[in-house]
Amino acid sequence: MLRDEIVALLPQLRRFAYGLAGSVPDGDDLVQATCERAIANLEKWEKGTRLDSWMYRIAQNLHFNALRDGKTRARHLAVIGSESQWSLDGEKQQEDRFALTAVRRFIDRLPEEQRIVLLLICVEGRSYREVSQITGLPVGTVTSRLGRARSAMRGYLEEEGAEANTDGSPDGGIENGKMENGR
């Protein structure tokens, strides 16, 4: 029975995962994720091929994805942490709230199929392949829907920028970082 074969592979898989992850807790998480992925995709395993090789490949791919995601998050956190001092600047908070509200309005305007893809990839950090598996869409369809969502976002941001320029000047009354009234 396939279940028994998977259970029999756990000690080997754990050693492999510990080696990849570098720690027992991270290795255990990797083993669990590997088993979950394998069970969810059993129909993709070809009978007569090596189950251990297939599961090792799943573990390796998950590990590489986690490394890539970790590097991406570290870059984002470095940018966030690069501000020399966190402050309670009321004007900055208002600008941030305005930006968040604008992003929410934009996302709400997207067609459902584009919204799902955009949220899974850009907010949840899922890969195109994962989104393809989650939604049941081909990767090419995921890519095109994300492209259309990003294009719509550019158009929306340009539209919002045009509305912000109420005085008709290209910079909305801002020159050299100062408002026209000297602020």
Side-chain angles (χ1 to χ4, degrees):
M1 174 176 234
L2 192 56
R3 179 181 175 269
D4 295 333
E5 291 179 48
I6 291 174
V7 171
L9 285 173
L10 288 178
Q12 296 169 346
L13 189 59
R14 288 183 79 197
R15 282 191 303 273
F16 181 66
Y18 294 160
L20 286 175
S23 74
V24 172
D26 291 341
D28 286 341
D29 290 345
L30 182 56
V31 169
Q32 181 176 348
T34 300
C35 290
E36 289 173 2
R37 180 76 54 95
I39 290 168
N41 293 291
L42 275 177
E43 74 280 355
K44 294 182 181 178
W45 176 66
E46 298 175 22
K47 292 185 187 223
T49 62
R50 293 185 54 158
L51 181 64
D52 61 342
S53 296
W54 183 65
M55 291 191 66
Y56 286 149
R57 175 63 66 183
I58 292 171
Q60 183 178 343
N61 288 340
L62 288 170
H63 176 68
F64 289 149
N65 289 345
L67 287 176
R68 184 192 66 237
D69 292 347
K71 287 178 184 176
T72 301
R73 285 187 188 98
R75 279 196 311 266
H76 291 292
L77 290 175
V79 170
I80 291 169
S82 67
E83 291 188 23
S84 60
Q85 182 180 16
W86 291 95
S87 67
L88 295 177
D89 180 0
E91 187 174 335
K92 173 78 170 113
Q93 286 181 339
Q94 282 301 105
E95 290 172 2
D96 290 347
R97 280 192 197 121
F98 178 74
L100 181 59
T101 300
V103 168
R104 285 182 179 154
R105 272 197 317 262
F106 163 73
I107 290 173
D108 288 343
R109 287 174 46 177
L110 282 175
E112 187 71 20
E113 64 272 2
Q114 291 176 19
R115 183 180 320 143
I116 290 168
V117 170
L118 180 75
L119 291 173
L120 286 171
I121 291 173
C122 297
V123 176
E124 296 297 322
R126 301 291 183 141
S127 70
Y128 287 35
R129 181 176 294 148
E130 289 172 317
V131 173
S132 172
Q133 290 173 347
I134 290 168
T135 61
L137 298 168
V139 174
T141 302
V142 169
T143 303
S144 67
R145 287 183 181 178
L146 180 62
R148 287 194 305 270
R150 286 178 173 165
S151 177
M153 181 179 228
R154 277 190 293 279
Y156 179 76
L157 291 173
E158 289 170 1
E159 177 183 304
E160 286 288 309
E163 288 176 12
N165 292 330
T166 56
D167 69 348
S169 66
D171 62 1
I174 299 174
E175 184 176 313
N176 295 327
K178 297 183 179 180
M179 297 293 289
E180 283 184 22
N181 63 6
R183 280 192 281 159

